[in-house]
Amino acid sequence: MATSRPEFVKLTGHKNFTQRLVLATLTGRPLHISKIRPNSPTSPGLAPHEVSFLRLLEAVTNGSTMQISYTGTTITYQPGLITGAVAGYGAGEGDIIEHNVPATCTRGITYFLLPLCLLAPFSKAHMNVRFSGPGVITAATETGDLSIDSFRTAILPLFDIFGIPAVRIELRVLQRSCTGQKGSGGAGIVELRFASQVRLPKTLHLHRNPGRIKRIRGVAYATGVSASNNARMIHSAREVLNAFCTDIHIAAQYDQAPLVADPGDKAGGKKRMGIGFGISLVAASNVTGVLFSADTVAPPKGGMVPEDIGKRCAYQLLDSISRGGCVSGAAAPTVLTLMAMGSEDVGRLRIGREVLGSEEIIELARDLKKYGASSWGIRDVDEDETDDIIIAVKGSGLGNVSRKVA
């Protein structure tokens, strides 16, 4: 008797594109997305960074099929098995997948790293990917992407609380870069080696008081500009933060701008790309797993001095802490997705009211419901006078189909 195929999950719009593809891959349900920028007069359909992510998804899976309409406004996705860096299935020499990001990409490298790290724990083999090409941007972007430093220090450590050892996750920044003058292009090089594959993520219980901030760490980076910009950003950020915390350490990182071939030069000359500077700050609480982050980068067109960049990032960090909860707005989608994909038990998370009411979290809850996940239980915190909310999330128990049950 033939088994019926699962019905397509039908969604519309281009928002949360990677999130929807990740949920389709983890649950094994096919996806149909329509009305992707249908009214755009200049660039309707899929954007360059979305097409690049589809190529990456095809490389790390086996058996996935994608059909894109002629205009690019509709896509049909049939998920396959998450294989990771398996020889013969996308990985080349050295058991690593080479992914080239085009120069027209306007999103930061964390646009690709965040969904990739959600797929990696459920992979059959290690997830080893090297990102290169003229479109790799390691700094924060004006579109809201995290910098590579905030991702490494504020997102990756959270996998530990799910029983996914962060010690076996390695993130190498071989070449730093910032956004180009037109908002695209960076020519950085980043390598991710994710060797923490598990059967099921552990149930999370992070609903106690978030505690007090005990230390602040950060990285000030400058690429292709004067290294004195780092000292100026660090000094202005400390002027704001010294009144709240004494354990503050902000490292300075200087790199030369990447040198790439100039397509407009017929003589075969080269030019510098990814010039800029910025700062990343992360605050850690005395409670394990409670991290808050902030990112600020100089705009591609210029017009901001390093002192303003440092102060703005410090105020953004204070604003993130003031929103309360045990998880920041940048990390909340990752944490909630892992809770929904975990064992069939009820996990609890304390989250700030503003974070829960953000558009990104609401869209995540709706997408999870579309894929058959349980509804969230929400109640106010009774232990103190804060406006925080405790979310109860029941795991789906899907886990890693490539791992045997112990």
Side-chain angles (χ1 to χ4, degrees):
M1 181 178 178
T3 58
S4 59
R5 292 184 178 181
E7 295 183 359
F8 279 86
V9 176
K10 296 183 179 180
L11 301 170
T12 58
H14 67 278
K15 292 185 178 180
N16 308 310
F17 184 74
T18 59
Q19 171 184 292
R20 293 170 172 178
L21 289 171
V22 166
L23 293 178
T25 307
L26 292 176
T27 58
R29 297 189 59 182
L31 174 64
H32 177 84
I33 304 179
S34 59
K35 298 181 181 179
I36 303 175
R37 302 183 185 88
N39 300 322
S40 176
T42 55
S43 55
L46 295 171
H49 56 269
E50 294 167 343
V51 176
S52 181
F53 179 75
L54 289 174
R55 296 183 185 277
L56 175 63
L57 191 60
E58 185 180 16
V60 300
T61 58
N62 180 26
S64 298
T65 60
M66 308 166 190
Q67 295 180 356
I68 305 175
S69 65
Y70 180 76
T71 57
T73 56
T74 303
I75 177 175
T76 301
Y77 173 62
Q78 291 273 4
L81 182 66
I82 308 172
T83 55
V86 178
Y89 293 97
E93 297 181 0
D95 294 334
I96 191 166
I97 298 173
E98 297 281 353
H99 183 68
N100 189 276
V101 182
T104 53
C105 180
T106 58
R107 303 298 298 265
I109 192 61
T110 52
Y111 174 84
F112 303 93
L113 289 175
L114 279 169
L116 191 64
C117 285
L118 286 175
L119 296 175
F122 308 96
S123 174
K124 181 179 181 180
H126 295 176
M127 189 73 75
N128 303 329
V129 182
R130 181 186 291 117
F131 296 90
S132 58
V136 177
I137 303 171
T138 63
T141 62
E142 293 184 333
T143 53
D145 298 313
L146 295 173
S147 69
I148 196 72
D149 301 292
S150 293
F151 176 77
R152 182 179 58 228
T153 55
I155 303 296
L156 291 184
L158 297 177
F159 284 86
D160 264 329
I161 60 180
F162 290 96
I164 305 171
V167 178
R168 303 190 64 189
I169 306 173
E170 185 178 1
L171 186 63
R172 303 175 182 174
V173 184
L174 306 179
Q175 176 64 63
R176 287 181 177 268
S177 61
C178 296
T179 310
Q181 293 182 355
K182 298 181 180 180
S184 63
I189 302 175
V190 176
E191 186 175 309
L192 173 69
R193 292 185 176 269
F194 201 114
S196 296
Q197 279 68 43
V198 295
R199 168 61 187 154
L200 275 173
K202 291 182 179 179
T203 304
L204 177 65
H205 296 284
L206 194 61
H207 57 281
R208 298 181 180 178
N209 191 292
R212 291 180 174 272
I213 301 300
K214 66 176 182 179
R215 66 173 179 266
I216 296 176
R217 298 291 183 264
V219 176
Y221 51 89
T223 305
V225 295
S226 175
S228 63
N229 291 329
N230 289 335
R232 294 165 65 183
M233 287 187 291
I234 293 172
H235 180 73
S236 60
R238 291 186 66 102
E239 282 184 341
V240 178
L241 298 175
N242 280 341
F244 303 96
C245 182
T246 56
D247 187 3
I248 302 175
H249 178 72
I250 306 175
Q253 178 70 36
Y254 172 77
D255 295 271
Q256 288 189 347
L259 189 63
V260 297
D262 187 2
D265 191 350
K266 297 181 180 179
K270 295 184 177 182
K271 64 177 182 179
R272 297 285 182 181
M273 288 185 64
I275 298 174
F277 57 90
I279 185 172
S280 164
L281 296 174
V282 176
S285 170
N286 54 8
V287 177
T288 303
V290 179
L291 299 169
F292 302 94
S293 63
D295 268 305
T296 307
V297 66
K301 297 180 181 179
M304 289 189 67
V305 295
E307 288 79 7
D308 293 342
I309 298 293
K311 286 185 178 180
R312 175 177 293 187
C313 190
Y315 286 128
Q316 284 184 5
L317 181 65
L318 296 177
D319 179 67
S320 178
I321 297 172
S322 68
R323 294 182 182 183
C326 295
V327 63
S328 64
T334 301
V335 173
L336 290 170
T337 302
L338 288 174
M339 291 176 69
M341 295 296 116
S343 57
E344 293 184 85
D345 196 1
V346 178
R348 293 173 177 85
L349 175 68
R350 179 166 174 164
I351 192 170
R353 189 176 296 269
E354 292 184 18
V355 177
L356 179 61
S358 62
E359 182 181 355
E360 188 175 7
I361 301 300
I362 293 174
E363 289 292 340
L364 174 61
R366 291 173 178 172
D367 290 343
L368 286 171
K369 187 67 176 177
K370 285 276 189 178
Y371 282 97
S374 301
S375 300
W376 296 346
I378 300 175
R379 68 174 179 87
D380 292 330
V381 174
D382 301 328
E383 291 77 12
D384 47 46
E385 299 179 355
T386 61
D387 291 334
D388 294 348
I389 293 175
I390 293 180
I391 301 181
V393 181
K394 184 178 182 296
S396 59
L398 295 175
N400 192 339
V401 297
S402 301
R403 299 272 166 170
K404 294 181 180 180
V405 180

